[in-house]
Structures are given as C-alpha cells and as structure tokens.
Amino acid sequence: MPNLWKKPWPRRPMRGEVKEALAGYAFASPAILGVIILTLYPMLASLYYSFNRVFSKGGMEWVGLDNYKYLLTNPASEFPKAVGVTLFYTAVNVVLVILFCLIVALMLNRRFIGRDFLRGVFFLPSVMPVLSVAILWKMLLQNQAKGGLINWWLITSGLSTIDFLNTGYIFVTLFTMSLWTCGGTVVVLLATLQDVPLDQLEAVSIDGGNAWHKFAKVTYPTIKPVLFFQLIMCVMTSVQVYTQSVAFSRNGAPNRLTYFINVMIYDHAFIQADMRGIASAEAWLVFLIILAITGILFHFQGSLQREDRKTRARRCGR
Amino acid sequence: MKKFVALFLSLLMVVGATSIAFADDTITLNFLYWADDAQKQLLTEACEAYEEANPGIKINAQALPADGTFDSYIQTRMESGELPDVSYMGESDIQKYDQMGILADISDMLESGAIPEKLSAVTIHNADGKVIGVGLSNQLVVLYYSKDKFDEAGIDYPPSNVEDAWDWDTFVDVAKQLTVDINGKNATEEGFDPTKIVDYGLGFNCLREFHQFWALYANGGGVVSADGTEFLWDSEASIEGLQKIADLMHVDYVAPQALYNWASDIGCVRDAINGGFAMFTNGSWDMANITAEDNIGVAVLPKMETAVTMNCGAPMVVYNTSKHLEEAKAFYAYMVDPAKNLPLIQSGAWLPNQADWYTDEDLLALWADDLPYGAKETILSYSNTEGSIAQWPAYYVMAYSDMSTVYEREIDAALMGNETVAEAFSKCMPEIKSLFEAE
C-alpha cells in the first residue's frame, strides 16, 4: 500500500544521485554554455544597445527611451510600414500555406498510380536553397523583353502582361514562391494523416456520411494539434522573411513593399551609419509583437486541443 | 603506443604553429573590390603585374558583388579590426566612412607628384579639405542602342555628339516608333496596346542615383550646385526633369518599369539590346561587355534644356588602420595610374581619370581606338565640351548618404506612377533640405 502522504520532492538526495546529476550537467554544459554565450548574451546586449545611440566607429551614448519614441512616433520612421507589410505577408502566407498543404496532403493520402512520384515532386522544391529559388523565379517573372517566360506566355495567349517584380504584384510572386516550397509542411501533415483511425472513417461511411463529414468529424479532430504546431511554425518563419526580399531588391523596392522587418533591421544595423541602437530597439519591439501574436494563438489552442473520448465527455458535461 | 601517438600529434601541432611564425617576410596587402566578369579578369591581371614588378609584395585581391554587400562587409570588418589595406569605395559612402575616421589622407601623394593631378570631377575632399580618394576611372551614363533595330525601322542612329543631341520630343518619338506590341503596332499608331508590348524602344538598367540625376541637370535643375552651396533638388526644373523620365514609363509607354533599387545585372546592356530593347541607358563601364558585339552602338543622352550626363567612378581609398601604410600607398598610386591599367581602359570598363588622356593625341591612340561604335566620339564629346558632365553630388556633398536614404523612401511611388514627382518630393524634400543645410 503506497504511502499517499509522503511528498516525493524535495528530499535529501542520496550520494550516487549527486554524482549522476553532476555528470549530467557536465555533458550538457557545452550546449548550456552555447546558449548563454551565443543567444542569451547577445539578446541582453542588444537590449542594452536599444537604450543607447550606437556609433558605427565605436562608442555609445545613453539616450533612454528615445529610440523607441522615434520608432513609434516620428513620421520619418519606417517601422510602422515595415511591421504592417510583414504582418500582412504573414497573415496571408500562413492562411494560404496551411490550407494549401492540408488540401495537398489529403489528396496525396489517397491511393492512385504515381502517388509516390507526386509526393516526391511536391517535396523536392523545399530542399532547394531559398536564394537560388528566388533568383530562378525572378528570371521567370521578369519583363518579357528581358526574357521573362511567364510574361511571354501571357502575351502569346492574348492576355496583358503583368509586372511581377516592380508593382504590388510582388506579393503574388512571394506567395507563389512560398507555396511552391512548402513541401516540408505537406510531409508532416501527410505523416499525421496516417494516424487517423480507419475504423472511425468506416463508421462514418456506414452511417451515410460523405467525404466532408469524414474530414470534419474524424480527420480534423485527430490532426488538430499538428495543424496548430505547423501554424505556429509558419507564423515564425513568415515573420522572419528576408532572403526573398533581398534577392529581388536589396532596398525593399517596390516602394518599400518588401522592406520587411528583418530587411530593415539588417539595413539599419549594418548598412546605414550610426543606427545600431535603433536596429536593436526595432528588434525588441518585434519580439514583443511576436510574443503578443503567439500568446493570442496559444489562447485559441484550447479550441484546437486533440479531442478524444475523455475531453469530449468533459465538454459534454458527463 | 597511445602515448607515442599523442606525443607525435602534439609535436606536429607545435611545428605547424611555429612554421607560421617563421613565415617569409612577404608583405601581403588586402585589396577589396567589386567587378563584373570582364573587370575581374582584368583587375586580377593588373594585380599580378604589380606583384611581378615588386617582389616581396603580395596582393590578396578579393571581389565582392557590386550590389551593396560592401557596406555590411566593411562595417563587420571594422568591428573585428581587420579592415583591408586598400579598397574600392562607393561614391556615396566615402564621406560616411571618412567621418568614422578610418580613411587615410592621401594629399601627400598628390603634393609630391607620386600621383599626378587627376580630373577634379573625381578627386574627393573631406570636410577639412584633405584628399581622401581619387576615382579609379571617370565613368559616364551613356545611351546604348541596337544598330539592327534602327536599320530595320529606317531611323538614323542616335547622335554621338553633344551638339547634335536629340531634343526630348524627337527622342520620345523615336522611342515610340521602336516600341512594338504583339499585334505589330508601334506606340505612335492607333490601336497600340501598352499592356502587350513585345519590344521596348528604351530601357533603364535602374533608376538609382546618377542613373536618374542626369535628367534633373539636363532640365536646368539639379541636386546640389557644383560649388556645393545651392540646393537645387526641390526646384521646379528638377521636378519636371524627373517627371519626364517617369512619363517615359507610364505616359509614353516606351520603357518598362524601373525603380530606385540596386541593379543586379552588370553586363545587362548586351542581353537587353540583343533581346527586346532598341535603346538602353547604363554606365559606360558596360562597354567592356559589348566589345564583341558589332550590333551595339554608343550615343549621347538626349537633351532637355541642355545635353548633360552625370559621372561616377568608384574611388579607391587607403585605410589608416593598414599595417603597411607606405606599401599600401604605393600600390594605390599604381592602381590609379591609367598607364598601368591600360587593358581596363582599352576595354571601356574604365575611362581615364586624367585630363591629358582626353586631349593628347598619343595618349588617345593608346586607348580610344578599339571602343565600340560611336563610343570614342561620345566620350570625347562629353569630356571636351564645357558643362556637359555634371559631377555626381556624392563626391562633394557631405550629407549625401543620409539625403539619399530619405529620398529612397519616397521616390519609388513617383517612379511607379502612383504619384506625381511633385507629390513625392513634397513628402521628402523638406527633410532632405534640412539635412543638407545642417552640414
């Protein structure tokens, strides 16, 4: 009969346990040191920089909250537009990618000839380096007089040409590139779909349900947690978009529409003079914004928790 | 056995370390530059020739792409204390880096005659009047054109002479005749569809800085007056000049959209002219990439009020953090001497940075005879006609870098046709003017 009143921790550790714990810490110490030196220290240093005016030739001058005030209130600051553009890209990109990958995964889950080949076809673009992909798409989408094949196809089909790189259509370019390279997400969703209980699917079709019922009542509740995880990952990577913007134009052209947060921070930290303090302040403001977004998403995670008999019973009050 | 292996390996490490310490006393100079393929080849040969002539000196030449990576590279090097000895520098960056205190003063070389007097247009002074760099070359914005397309259309080639430069209406009319849509109609004809253009009459490499500033000066305006005192950028003439360029894209439909961004296609003239463009503006450095093309000619830019082009030409600088300052300066004097870099000048990649090379017959014969069709006439016409080359303000306006950053924020809207140039200027000119007046 176990002693239900005995508290498990804390208690005096036995001699062998101390040695084991020390050995554990020793083995983990390179990783711990790595995190402290390469991640924690730079983060705290940049927090300190954000309250200073940092000169490119060296030296700092304490300015308190001036950098933050400049970013948020000064009309010359590009922070609001950069954040707006990044959040727009993130919002649309996440919705498109998750929907597209879900539909593709569902379709690739069926049995048909050539299914494995198609799975490879969808996955292959995601292993290509982003920069090469961006350059290839740029060559495809550029002006027809420079040899852009997509515009050639449009023009010979009797349609009007579209300037994909120098107008607002750059977002079409960016989203197309993003969808083309989301094979990784498709693979993860495909793996999760194998978990869906086949007997429940059968039960739904016996009861007279169609494909939509199968998806809504069986498939979706099973894959909810993974879908949420992919959502968070997609938000994280979308907010950090950088390579595509730089491949197309280093300065966020057209009209700063591709001047995303990372591009702006890099520009201010390493290309402009004396703006490192402002770049650090931008980075910390972005951190707070992403924290808020993640908090909101996790709040809604409750509605995405995996439903099984126990939680459903609790929900229905039994 | 294990102990023997451990001892042997540690001895090997020690020997390796000491062999580095006893390295031979060749002086290695780190030289940083940017170049397209043609220039890279020629520069490597120039460095090798210097090494042969100067045993004991080794040049470690490193090429970066010419698209803005330079800034981040230098700033990271500044942090780690490993700046190169000699490097190219962007014209719009040199004052910025001089204010950071890392550039060496080379006035002594000019005074002693180690470097002969260079064109004033490419001699750069800092705020104290010291010379901090001279342009390796003097490059100009010129008009490239396809002889075949002009022959087919039965139009005379653009003039290579400043006196005969086309006025703006003639230029736009010619460009329209050469802009053709998928139905075979050109831009002067009824039923022309600007959304289905197959061949353009004109193209721009990009519309960044000097690629568009020439239009402001040509219309009687400018950026800053040549003596650096008067702010011309917000004048009516400047606004009108730039509006004419924007209209080429959105009203006349003779050119595709170009923006105030970094051009990533060096060597683009050859591809453009052989592709779908009849005319193309770019810097004179692209002449090096068209030497094998009989079809491409070089002409002067069209005029508005006057026929004007703008110069550019990256200066070379010596860093005062160099451990071998004397040797670095000697290499510097070698690189900026046109006579030592003849292959680069003969190819057209560089234009000489000394006045006598444009007037002295013997010197001209050294470089000007193998240039593309019309190039020699164009270059000499610009160089020897008073007032036809406007100096890029980056050379002499201290606040240029900051002014350009503010301009960059707002100007794309005007170039895209979303706003008029006047509206875009009204958003940024007050701030730019205050930056200029603060200096």
Side-chain angles (χ1 to χ4, degrees), chain A residues 144 161 250-251 255 276, chain B residues 67 79 195 197 260 408 412:
Chain A
Q144 64 280 9
T161 55
R250 290 196 80 84
N251 68 346
N255 201 15
R276 258 175 225 166
Chain B
D67 61 359
E79 292 290 303
T195 61
I197 297 176
Y260 199 92
E408 191 172 8
D412 269 354

Side-chain angles (χ1 to χ4, degrees), chain B residues 94-95 98-99 103-111 122-134 316-317 320 329 332 395-396 398:
Chain B
I94 189 167
Q95 300 293 351
D98 180 64
Q99 276 158 16
L103 300 182
D105 174 6
I106 56 167
S107 320
D108 54 334
M109 285 203 279
L110 283 160
E111 280 155 24
V122 296
T123 309
I124 305 172
H125 302 266
N126 67 2
D128 301 323
K130 302 265 185 286
V131 179
I132 49 178
V134 291
M316 246 171 75
V317 294
N320 57 18
K329 284 186 171 178
Y332 184 92
Y395 284 112
Y396 57 94
M398 301 298 148

Side-chain angles (χ1 to χ4, degrees), chain B residues 2-23:
Chain B
K2 257 204 284 192
K3 284 199 181 151
F4 173 72
V5 172
L7 192 61
F8 175 69
L9 283 174
S10 39
L11 271 176
L12 206 59
M13 272 195 338
V14 169
V15 166
T18 48
S19 72
I20 293 169
F22 287 134

Side-chain angles (χ1 to χ4, degrees), chain A residues 248-300:
Chain A
F248 290 133
S249 69
R250 290 196 80 84
N251 68 346
N255 201 15
R256 299 301 216 204
L257 282 176
T258 59
Y259 201 52
F260 299 120
I261 294 175
N262 267 5
V263 180
M264 180 178 65
I265 292 176
Y266 183 84
D267 189 35
H268 286 169
F270 298 114
I271 299 185
Q272 310 285 353
D274 301 342
M275 286 190 88
R276 258 175 225 166
I278 293 186
S280 307
E282 282 162 6
W284 276 91
L285 279 176
V286 165
F287 169 70
L288 291 174
I289 292 174
I290 298 181
L291 197 62
I293 295 176
T294 317
I296 296 172
L297 284 173
F298 267 93
H299 177 77
F300 285 110

